Amino acid sequence: MIVRLTFCLLAIAAATVCSKKVEQVHLSLSGKPDEMVVTWLTLDPLPNVTPYVSFGVTKDSLRLTAKGNTTGWADQGKKGKMRYTHRATMQNMVAGQLYYYQVGSSQEMSEIFHFRQPDQSQPLRAAIFGDLSIYKGQQSIDQLIAARKDNQFDLIIHIGDLAYDLHDQDGSTGDDYMNAIEPFAAYVPNGVYDNNLFWSFDFGFVHFIALNSEYYAEEMSKESQKQFKWLEQDLANNNKKWTIVMFHRPWYCSSKKKKGCHDDEDILSREGLTDKFPGLEELLNQHKVDLILYGHKHTYERMWPIFNKEPFKSSDPTHIKNAPAPVYILTGGAGCHSHEDPSDHIIQDFSVKALGEYGYTFLTVYNTTHLSTDFVDTSETTGKFLDPFVLEKN
């Protein structure tokens, strides 16, 4: 509140309007390799004013522009405070090129940010995590910012439970969170923009699929069936060498319970229930999905390849070749209000590595035959790599 009040006083002194401030700037992929989507927010509408992004290959020459569109919405707090999201798509981008940009309108513009348009012919480097908030997650945010400055990422993907909860404090919790991640989110694309709760996109050698496990947890039968039918078609059309699936609720992990992760609302999406809730595990296994990542449990754990509760073990758990089922990674330890330590868990037979440090999964896809993952401990801004793993296929 002190920071925001100070800004307002300075803004008034400069004869500007505080609520027109451009904030929460973040990038997303569009699904097309020559585009980049940028999104930002203002606390007031922009009547008779067009939001836009200006961009170019040098900081002093932002000669290209793209018009944006605006969506007004009320948060879920008691006051239902209005906010205004603006979004524009930069097109005809050149792979590997460094671009500078700023967003806003004739009323106020943001500072100048920059990004490098991903070159999808090169290895992909991505940070993937779930369950991140400012409270207890600041060390992960700080490390992600430092890693971004060191050019370690091409892509960042958050797989659920943002901020805890975005609407709290009349939406200021969400505002604070989105502004806290701006120092990395405005420079590296955060997933792909898709106005849907399940989606997919291609990046280089990989087909990524994001599914909504909450349809099952909330017993939303029609939505679960619609998602399943879409997934069948999406997998049938997939021609990429690697397939990586992400959702929020875990199917396999260790916990304080004897059977590990076995809550009904979590395993319903895995096993299904009659035609009302089609199970997803068999379909993903049939289409030879390589890697499945999820969060929800606030810790890290890598599993063997698993199908129907049975792990497929081999001689080297750090390097698996031609896995007969998906490898599973629980990556929910980025940092939030609670954290789980594996020392309190009953480690399951399918578990390979369980870690209690705060951090995220670092994914590298080298080519059509090799990818790797690692766990980055964020207790230091340099990051410590604690679980190197290689997945190889012919």
Side-chain angles (χ1 to χ4, degrees):
M1 290 301 294
I2 294 174
V3 173
R4 183 167 294 215
L5 178 59
T6 301
F7 179 87
C8 288
L9 291 173
L10 290 172
I12 291 170
T16 59
V17 181
C18 181
S19 57
K20 303 297 185 186
K21 177 190 173 187
V22 175
E23 58 180 88
Q24 304 179 33
V25 179
H26 56 282
L27 297 172
S28 305
L29 300 175
S30 73
K32 296 181 180 180
D34 64 345
E35 293 184 348
M36 185 66 72
V37 180
V38 60
T39 305
W40 66 100
L41 181 140
T42 59
L43 297 179
D44 266 10
L46 303 175
N48 303 316
V49 172
T50 301
Y52 68 95
V53 56
S54 60
F55 59 102
V57 296
T58 64
K59 192 173 184 180
D60 299 325
S61 183
L62 307 181
R63 296 177 178 175
L64 302 173
T65 61
K67 293 181 179 180
N69 57 65
T70 299
T71 302
W73 51 277
D75 67 51
Q76 297 179 3
K78 293 181 179 179
K79 297 180 180 179
K81 185 177 180 180
M82 290 293 296
R83 288 168 174 79
Y84 299 86
T85 297
H86 314 282
R87 183 172 291 112
T89 301
M90 293 172 273
Q91 299 177 317
N92 302 315
M93 315 300 280
V94 177
Q97 175 67 55
L98 179 66
Y99 289 94
Y100 296 87
Y101 75 97
Q102 63 179 166
V103 298
S105 69
S106 60
Q107 295 190 351
E108 182 157 351
M109 295 295 288
S110 71
E111 64 179 279
I112 296 177
F113 304 99
H114 63 265
F115 67 92
R116 190 173 297 277
Q117 186 70 15
D119 184 348
Q120 298 193 24
S121 68
Q122 299 299 309
L124 165 65
R125 306 161 303 159
I128 304 176
F129 53 87
D131 306 274
L132 176 67
S133 70
I134 298 175
Y135 179 62
K136 294 188 177 180
Q138 190 61 52
Q139 72 175 40
S140 289
I141 294 173
D142 290 343
Q143 199 282 329
L144 287 163
I145 293 170
R148 186 277 298 172
K149 291 179 179 178
D150 197 34
N151 191 33
Q152 294 183 18
F153 306 127
D154 304 299
L155 183 64
I156 298 173
I157 301 177
H158 194 309
I159 55 175
D161 275 359
L162 290 79
Y164 297 90
D165 285 311
L166 292 167
H167 62 274
D168 281 359
Q169 303 298 315
D170 294 314
S172 65
T173 297
D175 294 334
D176 292 343
Y177 174 83
M178 294 302 297
N179 283 317
I181 69 170
E182 185 183 83
F184 67 76
Y187 297 86
V188 178
N190 285 243
V192 62
Y193 172 69
D194 191 305
N195 192 24
N196 197 9
L197 296 180
F198 51 89
W199 37 267
S200 66
F201 69 99
D202 293 334
F203 193 112
F205 308 110
V206 187
H207 184 62
F208 284 97
I209 300 173
L211 300 173
N212 186 2
S213 56
E214 300 307 301
Y215 287 155
Y216 291 83
E218 300 295 330
E219 298 185 357
M220 301 170 70
S221 177
K222 291 182 179 179
E223 291 81 358
S224 300
Q225 294 174 49
K226 181 179 179 181
Q227 177 177 249
F228 184 82
K229 291 179 181 178
W230 170 87
L231 179 60
E232 285 183 309
Q233 191 63 50
D234 185 80
L235 288 167
N237 293 335
N238 174 27
N239 60 6
K240 292 295 182 179
K241 186 66 174 182
W242 297 100
T243 305
I244 297 175
V245 174
M246 306 166 292
F247 45 85
H248 185 62
R249 290 178 178 266
W251 284 356
Y252 298 105
C253 72
S254 302
S255 71
K256 294 180 181 180
K257 298 180 180 179
K258 187 176 182 180
K259 292 184 178 181
C261 294
H262 207 69
D263 295 337
D264 290 342
E265 61 267 27
D266 297 338
I267 65 171
L268 180 59
S269 61
R270 187 186 82 204
E271 299 178 351
L273 181 64
T274 65
D275 293 335
K276 293 182 63 178
F277 295 97
L280 301 175
E281 184 180 28
E282 184 173 351
L283 179 62
L284 297 182
N285 195 67
Q286 285 175 354
H287 286 271
K288 302 185 184 304
V289 168
D290 300 288
L291 186 63
I292 296 177
L293 299 106
Y294 39 59
H296 193 59
K297 303 297 183 182
H298 303 156
T299 189
Y300 172 87
E301 187 172 20
R302 177 168 59 86
M303 276 65 72
W304 289 102
I306 308 172
F307 176 64
N308 194 24
K309 306 175 188 176
E310 294 296 325
F312 295 88
K313 298 183 179 182
S314 53
S315 58
D316 185 359
T318 67
H319 190 144
I320 296 176
K321 185 173 181 179
N322 296 325
V327 171
Y328 287 80
I329 296 178
L330 167 64
T331 184
C336 62
H337 59 283
S338 63
H339 198 70
E340 299 180 34
D341 195 288
S343 62
D344 298 326
H345 292 171
I346 301 172
I347 301 300
Q348 300 295 301
D349 183 54
F350 50 66
S351 179
V352 174
K353 189 84 167 184
L355 296 168
E357 289 82 358
Y358 289 95
Y360 58 88
T361 297
F362 186 84
L363 166 73
T364 307
V365 182
Y366 300 96
N367 47 42
T368 60
T369 61
H370 289 76
L371 67 74
S372 69
T373 66
D374 210 330
F375 175 78
V376 181
D377 172 9
T378 57
S379 59
E380 299 177 3
T381 55
T382 53
K384 294 184 288 186
F385 292 83
L386 303 183
D387 184 31
F389 167 66
V390 174
L391 188 60
E392 180 181 353
K393 67 194 297 187
N394 293 336

